[in-house]
Amino acid sequence: MKPHILKLLVLGIFISLNACKKAEQSLVPSDTSDTYTVPQGSNAFDQTIVDYYQKYNTYLLYKFSDKDVYWTPTGWRKPVQATSGGSWSTGAEVEASDEAFIPAQLALIQSKWFGFYSEKFLKKFLPTKVMLCKKVDSVGNSFVFTPVFATVKSTKKVAAFYNYDNIQINYGDATVNSMTAAELRGFIYKVNLIFIQSIIARGLSTPTPEFNSSADYITAMTTSAQSYGKGIIVAYNAASAQADWTAYITAMVSYSTVQLNTSTAITDTTPMGILHATKDTSGQIKKRYNLVRNYFINEYGVDLQLIGNATRAI
């Protein structure tokens, strides 16, 4: 019996040591290619960041490397120019926030992003990392024609961008203290749209069975009028339940109830007017809109339409 007792004692010690190790590393994620710890400094705002991690298991980082932002399992996502002066790959270029402005940036994030959602929603859908930045520039291409044709890099300041396991948030500089009403609405629009897009890209939101069965995606369609009549608002030639579910969610966070109820030509393929009889000829769009909206209200206590209304100051 003694050898068995000794084995049990050794096993007990091993389990205890691992339990202690887990407790000591409680602020280190287990599902990323690198490990992160918070707080990253000794500022007063660092406690707010720690509180967010403990609530949502998400790191708000103001010290990070290019790898933290651009690495993905399928390749590097930092914008680069093709060889021999070719076009630039799409993406965003970022710089970390100035620490002096992080308190105001955190307040902006709470007021215009986190504040629209319940704790349950944020726990499920926030990405692993939120990068606090003073620069988030979307990168694209423009062209010059003289003296010779050439592709040149173009950049545009944006409020947010996402990449794999992180969302990059702008305004970690002095501009956070002088944002106009229009800039605040633009921030609400962009950050929440990016958040929804990242949720969909990570495969975290799929149609409910009721939504799936509420429209016919099998029978071929050749016009927008046909798809609208079925309650399908995604392009008729690329219709699927998942694409349609995404389109309804995106419409709610991007357009106000006034815009969704404004008469708009049935040939228009944007969400504008999808709840008006001009487009919603059979009432099926309104029915399916309510299915999606009420799902998030009942399941997460979140009314996504309030975000779309806020982008238009409603």
Side-chain angles (χ1 to χ4, degrees), residues 1-9:
M1 294 297 289
K2 287 184 179 180
H4 294 293
I5 294 172
L6 180 60
K7 288 179 181 179
L8 289 173
L9 287 172

Side-chain angles (χ1 to χ4, degrees), residues 4 7 11-12 18 42 77 79 100 111 123 126 135 146 168 184 192 202 219 271 292 301 306 308:
H4 294 293
K7 288 179 181 179
L11 179 61
N18 276 284
S42 57
R77 290 293 180 263
S111 174
K123 280 182 177 179
L126 277 177
K135 168 188 170 183
T146 58
Q168 304 125 43
L184 289 169
N192 288 282
R202 287 177 282 140
T219 305
V292 179
L306 296 181

Side-chain angles (χ1 to χ4, degrees), residues 223-225 228 236 264-270 272 278-279:
T223 66
S224 296
Y228 286 146
Y236 66 85
T264 308
I266 201 166
T267 53
D268 178 273
T269 58
T270 72
M272 183 72 77
T278 304
K279 281 187 176 182

Side-chain angles (χ1 to χ4, degrees), residues 5 14 23 34 37 42 50 68 97 107 208 239 253 279 281 313:
I5 294 172
F14 178 80
D34 289 292
T37 58
S42 57
V50 170
D68 298 327
S97 294
T208 64
V253 301
K279 281 187 176 182
T281 54

Side-chain angles (χ1 to χ4, degrees), residues 209-241:
E210 187 176 9
F211 184 85
N212 280 330
S213 63
S214 65
D216 171 19
Y217 292 98
I218 298 175
T219 305
M221 297 169 287
T222 57
T223 66
S224 296
Q226 289 177 335
S227 60
Y228 286 146
K230 292 182 177 184
I232 297 171
I233 64 171
V234 74
Y236 66 85
N237 58 351
S240 69

